[in-house]
Amino acid sequence: MTISTNTNRVADIVAKTLHAHGIRHAFGVPGGEVVTLIDGLEKAGIPFSLARHETSAAIMAAGASTISGKPELLVTTVGPGLANAVNGIADALQERVPLIVISGIVDRSTRARYTHQVINHAQLLRPIVKTSFEIEPESAASTVARALAIATTQPMGPVHLDLSPTVAALVSPNNAIIRPPTQFGTSASITDPAIRNVSERIRVAERPIILAGLEATRCNAGPALEHLAETIGAPVITTYKAKGLLREDHPLSLGGAGLSPLADKVLLALLEKSDLVLMIGHDPIEMRLGWLDFVADRSKLVDISNAPLDHAMHHAGTRITAEPRAIVQALNGSVAGRNVWAKGEPGVAREELGQIFATKAAWGPHAIIDRLNDTAGSEGLVTVDSGAHRILLSQKWVATKPFSLLQSAGFCTMNAALPLAIGAKVADPSRRVFAVMGDGGLEMGIGELATLRDLNLPVTIVLFQDRSLALIALKQASAGLASTGVTLGETDFAAVARGFGGYGVNVENSDEFSHELEAAGKRGGFSLIACRFDASAYDGAF
């Protein structure tokens, strides 16, 4: 499409191209080098949300992207602004987020002479982005469109663009907007040799199991996967980011896996007993070292993924490179009902997991998760930060739909829950959003409470206040080491929340917590509920 006016700046062409490709949200911290870009974004219908730190802004964009299903935008200024975002951009790489990063850069005419705040942006980001480009006046739309195509190609990830202030302000010599191509999906045929091969293996399998991941969730393979699981009697394990792909109250669901040694002990034993493992959109980047070569007989692994093979966590005997949903739908048309797992091992495993993570005390992390799960229901959206509380919540949480529990599972960075919640709430204001954090994580990014206030977002923060970096303390204890560098002082987070213009309260029992959760849902601004308990409540919990 050609724009009729000749007054478009390069920044306007960049912004309109981003908008044409579905980007609707920008996050960042502005600087003089990006003011023209931000103006262009606003005029193109991409509002800019001010964060307090660039890494938080990157994770906000990731949260928005997960909910919108589209790429989203991080804007930073030159030098220290972009350097501040490194953690958030690396998180996007390992979380498979199609993040577009646009940074201001010193003008080319002075770049070779000038040293103030000048660093090589592309070299800085080389290990953590798929590619970097500099936007030039004549090819701005094409460069942005190429960046978007690269970011959204499997495995998805961040792409970086530099834009100098002089180029951004120039009248564009080319007003064409590059729009995304019309996409047509294809479906696999039941006559395809790959489908016939897997169908035959399903036909003779006596103990099939499904291991599903983020890619299957993104391509909406859930309904087809549920039909396949029910037809062939296969229990379903997911990664944490794929929780809810199969409703976790379904009798065939065994929940998420990857971080809990107690859960892994049960699930890995079941996988070893299986005679066919269908890995559907499974990305092992979420899994820990315990999942290296997780079955002895690799020939029983069938890996169905459209992403290139870029790992050596396991070595599947069969690999089908295709969109998972198309393959599962084709399998549904070629397999018949089965009676499998004659000894009922999946049901036993499900009961054992339930007992391991059962709530045994009236107050503490287990009880907090139970009450929160009840309040969030099927429509609530929960984000969770890294730490002991995340491992326990990811095992206990009963997700009934995809993308209802968001976390940093590949990179496992701290201070992710609050910016994820902000991005998710911006992308979908209709859903109630809860950010579950530890005290260490919140203190790392407490300035984003101001972002909640300024955006007037009614997010509910549930704080697990145990005055400890509890996960690290547990690792020290398991190694027979003294507890060092993991004790936190007592911050009055309720007072801090009030200081940032929100509502804050401390609770120490389940009834108080339930009351405050209900009240927070009726409040206009953000609420912080600090749940106080002793870190020893995690002993033996996961």
Side-chain angles (χ1 to χ4, degrees):
M1 172 182 173
T2 302
I3 306 300
S4 58
T5 178
N6 290 319
T7 58
N8 283 299
R9 301 163 297 181
V10 171
D12 297 317
I13 298 299
V14 169
K16 290 177 180 181
T17 303
L18 292 169
H19 189 276
H21 286 255
I23 288 182
R24 296 294 182 270
H25 308 96
F27 302 86
V29 180
E33 291 77 13
V34 294
V35 293
T36 304
L37 172 63
I38 291 173
D39 179 68
L41 292 170
E42 292 279 347
K43 290 178 177 177
I46 305 175
F48 176 82
S49 295
L50 170 64
R52 272 26 183 208
H53 193 281
E54 287 84 353
T55 270
S56 292
I59 299 175
M60 289 175 198
S65 176
T66 301
I67 300 307
S68 71
K70 300 288 186 179
E72 299 292 3
L73 180 63
L74 167 67
V75 177
T76 83
T77 192
V78 68
L82 184 62
N84 255 355
V86 164
N87 187 358
I89 298 170
D91 181 74
L93 181 72
Q94 297 212 347
E95 299 304 311
R96 312 308 197 197
V97 176
L99 176 69
I100 304 301
V101 182
I102 301 183
S103 58
I105 192 171
V106 173
D107 287 321
R108 192 182 298 277
S109 60
T110 56
R111 202 177 300 164
R113 304 177 61 190
Y114 191 63
T115 57
H116 179 70
Q117 290 189 315
V118 173
I119 56 174
N120 187 321
H121 290 176
Q123 187 172 345
L124 171 71
L125 298 182
R126 185 168 294 124
I128 57 172
V129 297
K130 298 181 77 173
T131 192
S132 289
F133 302 120
E134 184 167 353
I135 297 172
E136 303 290 358
E138 298 79 10
S139 58
S142 293
T143 301
V144 173
R146 184 183 180 193
L148 284 154
I150 292 171
T152 54
T153 297
Q154 294 285 359
M156 296 186 189
V159 171
H160 166 244
L161 298 168
D162 268 330
L163 177 61
S164 74
T166 295
V167 169
L170 284 176
V171 174
S172 175
N174 184 349
N175 288 323
I177 304 300
I178 309 299
R179 301 185 181 278
T182 301
Q183 300 281 358
F184 292 96
T186 59
S187 58
S189 167
I190 59 175
T191 61
D192 186 288
I195 301 301
R196 290 204 306 265
N197 175 275
V198 177
S199 297
E200 176 59 19
R201 295 185 65 176
I202 291 173
R203 188 186 68 80
V204 299
E206 296 180 352
R207 295 176 303 281
I209 194 166
I210 293 172
L211 176 59
L214 175 61
E215 187 187 351
T217 306
R218 275 185 164 156
C219 70
N220 193 30
L225 182 144
E226 180 176 354
H227 181 76
L228 179 65
E230 290 176 344
T231 300
I232 67 175
V236 178
I237 302 169
T238 71
T239 65
Y240 284 173
K241 290 181 80 71
K243 280 176 70 70
L245 180 63
L246 175 68
R247 291 178 59 95
E248 292 188 322
D249 54 6
H250 192 289
L252 288 174
S253 172
L254 296 177
L259 284 179
S260 166
L262 292 180
D264 287 353
K265 184 178 179 181
V266 175
L267 296 174
L268 290 172
L270 188 68
L271 283 160
E272 192 59 51
K273 291 177 183 177
S274 71
D275 57 3
L276 178 65
V277 181
L278 299 176
M279 296 188 293
I280 301 175
H282 170 61
D283 186 344
I285 198 169
E286 297 181 52
M287 300 302 201
R288 292 296 181 90
L289 290 175
W291 287 75
L292 283 170
D293 294 321
F294 59 90
V295 293
D297 180 5
R298 299 167 183 172
S299 67
K300 68 185 180 184
L301 297 181
V302 177
D303 190 2
I304 302 169
S305 172
N306 208 26
L309 190 62
D310 64 350
H311 68 86
M313 283 281 287
H314 55 256
H315 303 276
T318 302
R319 179 173 170 82
I320 301 176
T321 304
E323 184 196 58
R325 181 176 64 172
I327 298 300
V328 175
Q329 288 173 334
L331 289 172
N332 280 329
S334 64
V335 298
R338 299 289 318 285
N339 290 318
V340 294
W341 291 98
K343 296 181 180 180
E345 295 96 330
V348 173
R350 182 177 169 88
E351 290 180 7
E352 188 174 353
L353 289 168
Q355 293 171 1
I356 289 172
F357 298 106
T359 300
K360 300 178 178 66
W363 181 242
H366 296 72
I368 294 167
I369 294 166
D370 286 342
R371 296 296 178 103
L372 179 59
N373 212 159
D374 291 341
T375 300
S378 61
E379 298 304 316
L381 188 151
V382 174
T383 68
V384 62
D385 213 355
S386 290
H389 60 290
R390 174 194 161 213
I391 300 175
L392 183 61
L393 184 143
S394 295
Q395 293 300 144
K396 280 183 65 65
W397 194 262
V398 181
T400 57
K401 60 176 58 177
F403 297 129
S404 57
L405 178 61
L406 308 185
Q407 55 187 285
S408 175
F411 205 49
C412 292
T413 187
M414 288 182 68
N415 185 33
L418 184 52
L420 279 174
I422 292 171
K425 187 66 175 178
V426 167
D428 186 358
S430 69
R431 294 181 71 177
R432 187 171 179 192
V433 176
F434 305 81
V436 180
M437 309 188 73
D439 34 7
L442 180 56
E443 287 180 338
M444 193 177 287
I446 206 162
E448 302 309 333
L449 294 177
T451 304
L452 278 178
R453 176 197 63 212
D454 294 349
L455 295 177
N456 193 30
L457 298 178
V459 169
T460 302
I461 301 168
V462 176
L463 186 71
F464 282 54
Q465 188 173 6
D466 55 15
R467 299 167 295 280
S468 171
L469 300 179
L471 181 58
I472 308 305
L474 289 170
K475 290 182 177 181
Q476 289 174 334
S478 66
L481 303 174
S483 178
T484 304
V486 293
T487 301
L488 303 174
E490 178 117 12
T491 299
D492 188 345
F493 289 102
V496 170
R498 293 191 291 269
F500 274 100
Y503 174 86
V505 64
N506 299 313
V507 300
E508 296 187 7
N509 64 65
S510 292
D511 289 340
E512 290 177 351
F513 180 51
S514 293
H515 170 76
E516 293 295 344
L517 281 174
E518 182 179 355
K522 303 172 183 177
R523 200 171 284 124
F526 78 86
S527 300
L528 188 153
I529 307 171
C531 302
R532 294 177 165 179
F533 59 88
D534 192 84
S536 62
Y538 287 118
D539 292 347
F542 49 80

